[in-house]
Structures are given as structure tokens and as C-alpha cells.
Amino acid sequence: MSLLEFFRAGNTHPRPASLQARFEAWRTLPQPSGTQAVHESRIVVLDVETSGLNLKKDTLIAIGAVAVEHGRIMLDDAFDIVLRQEQISSKSNILIHGIAGGKQRSGIDPAEALMQFLEYIGPDPLLAFHVAFDQTMLEKSLKMWLQTDLKKRQWIDLAYLAPALLREQAMSHRTLDDWMQLFNIHNHRRHNAVADALATAELFLCINKKCEQQGWRTLNTLGVAERQYRQILGQ
């Protein structure tokens, strides 16, 4: 099922009139050029927590993100939000991400939370480890609550960029934990969205140093390297 078919099958809520002006201000932001250098860009590294791994049935619970700007992680430019849930997730799911039922019930209204997320990312490119899951869950929620998506946004998938650069480790390093261990990156709050985003950002900076050595210095060249590796894998 395509994303379009998936969204058509779901329910949507009218975009709140109170958010319309903010939404239009975000929608009309000028998009950055992919030809700009990575070290001159603001890249938003993100991670999500959900009620499960079923793209059709499960819901978005939390979004965590941190910005990388001028080759540095901007700890004062981070985002961490829990969306209010109509039905809390299972006990086994809560044990994974640690977002208790009370916190899920008292979260931010989903439309407002997602609007805050859009305002946080602005027009900037997005980076995640295994983009497909994060992107699908975000776009499912954005379609439901704000009738929008991120299809025109540039995404960088570190799960493909890392092995594209480090071919010798490609077969033995597949998960975020594998790559974190390789670069001695510590994450004491694994499966916390903002903590995982921070660890992913640290990994990106490690990888990007090697990308620059290969001449991959712009957002577009990172995208090309990622696509070429996907082609090798037949994806």
C-alpha cells in the first residue's frame, strides 16, 4: 500500500482555525538549496516513539529532535514533545519508551504538538536512522491533524549513508546500536526520542567528517551517496 492509499484509508480532522495563520507562515518559508554545504546548513536530526511498529494501526506518541548547525550539535536548539493519546499504549510498549499512561493522557493536543514541530524544523532538511518508519508515522499524523506532509522535504537516512561510506562495516553494522558502539557513542536513555536523536546526531558528525574526506560536502552529495548505496542493495 502506498503512503497516499494509506492516508486515504485513515480518518482526518479539520485543521484548527486557530492554527491556520501559523500553518501558512510555515508553509511559505523558502526552501534551502541542496547545493549548500553541510557545515553551512541547519539539519534537524529526529526520532519518534510510537505505540508499536504497525504503520497502519499504531500512533505517534512522542517526537524528539536536535539541530546540527555549522558542524555542531546545538543543545540549546532541541525539541521534545509528547502528543496526547486518546488511548494509552500497552504496558509492554511503555516499558520500551518509558512514557507512562498519565503522561500520554496529559500530552499536548496533537494538532498543536505537530504545529510546534513544523515551526521547530522550519524549512530545514531532516535526518534520521531508518527514515521510512519515522517519516511514515510523522506524515500519517500530519495528514490526520494538519492535512499536510513532508514529501518535498529533503531527508537523509543515516542507516544507508553510514554503510555507503564504511563498506567494510556494512554487513556487521546494521542497527543504530551497532554504529553507536563502533564510534563509542553512549546513550543512557535508549528509546527516549530526544536522547536517540542526540545519539543519531553524534553519529552523523562522526560520519560527516569522513564524508568531507570523500568530497561529499553538500546536502545533495549526501543524498546521491545514499541513493547509490540503495541501488547496490536493490532498494
Side-chain angles (χ1 to χ4, degrees), residues 31-84:
Q31 300 299 307
S33 169
T35 60
Q36 67 192 76
V38 171
H39 72 270
E40 296 175 352
S41 306
R42 178 180 183 265
I43 300 172
V44 176
V45 184
L46 62 84
D47 186 75
V48 302
E49 297 301 332
T50 65
S51 61
L53 300 177
N54 188 313
L55 293 173
K56 185 174 181 180
K57 296 180 179 179
D58 286 310
T59 59
L60 180 66
I61 293 178
I63 309 170
V66 64
V68 172
E69 196 166 359
H70 304 299
R72 296 170 56 194
I73 297 173
M74 312 302 290
L75 294 178
D76 59 346
D77 187 6
F79 184 85
D80 187 13
I81 204 162
V82 174
L83 285 69
R84 186 170 66 238

Side-chain angles (χ1 to χ4, degrees), residues 39 50 89 142 168 210 235:
H39 72 270
T50 65
S89 60
L142 286 167
E168 293 183 0
K210 298 182 180 295
Q235 297 183 4

Side-chain angles (χ1 to χ4, degrees), residues 99-168:
I99 305 173
K103 192 169 183 178
Q104 292 184 36
R105 291 192 189 95
S106 62
I108 304 299
D109 172 77
E112 171 62 29
L114 290 164
M115 189 68 248
Q116 289 184 28
F117 171 69
L118 293 181
E119 291 171 330
Y120 171 75
I121 67 174
D124 298 317
L126 305 175
L127 183 147
F129 195 92
H130 285 311
V131 160
F133 182 80
D134 299 81
Q135 183 179 9
T136 301
M137 294 304 293
L138 280 168
E139 291 200 350
K140 174 185 173 182
S141 295
L142 286 167
K143 184 71 173 179
M144 177 178 291
W145 296 101
L146 295 177
Q147 291 79 58
T148 193
D149 57 51
L150 296 169
K151 287 184 172 60
K152 295 183 180 180
R153 188 61 53 106
Q154 181 170 6
W155 287 80
I156 301 168
D157 195 333
L158 206 53
Y160 292 94
L161 184 61
L165 183 70
L166 301 170
R167 299 291 178 89
E168 293 183 0

Side-chain angles (χ1 to χ4, degrees), residues 208-228:
N208 191 51
K209 290 180 181 179
K210 298 182 180 295
C211 288
E212 291 179 345
Q213 294 170 2
Q214 294 289 328
W216 304 346
R217 295 186 173 89
T218 68
L219 295 170
N220 282 347
T221 54
L222 295 188
V224 169
E226 179 191 326
R227 288 193 296 273
Q228 288 177 343

Side-chain angles (χ1 to χ4, degrees), residues 180-192:
M180 285 168 52
Q181 184 176 13
L182 178 66
F183 287 98
N184 198 30
I185 296 169
H186 300 283
N187 181 356
H188 299 294
R189 297 187 65 195
R190 189 72 171 92
H191 297 299
N192 170 275

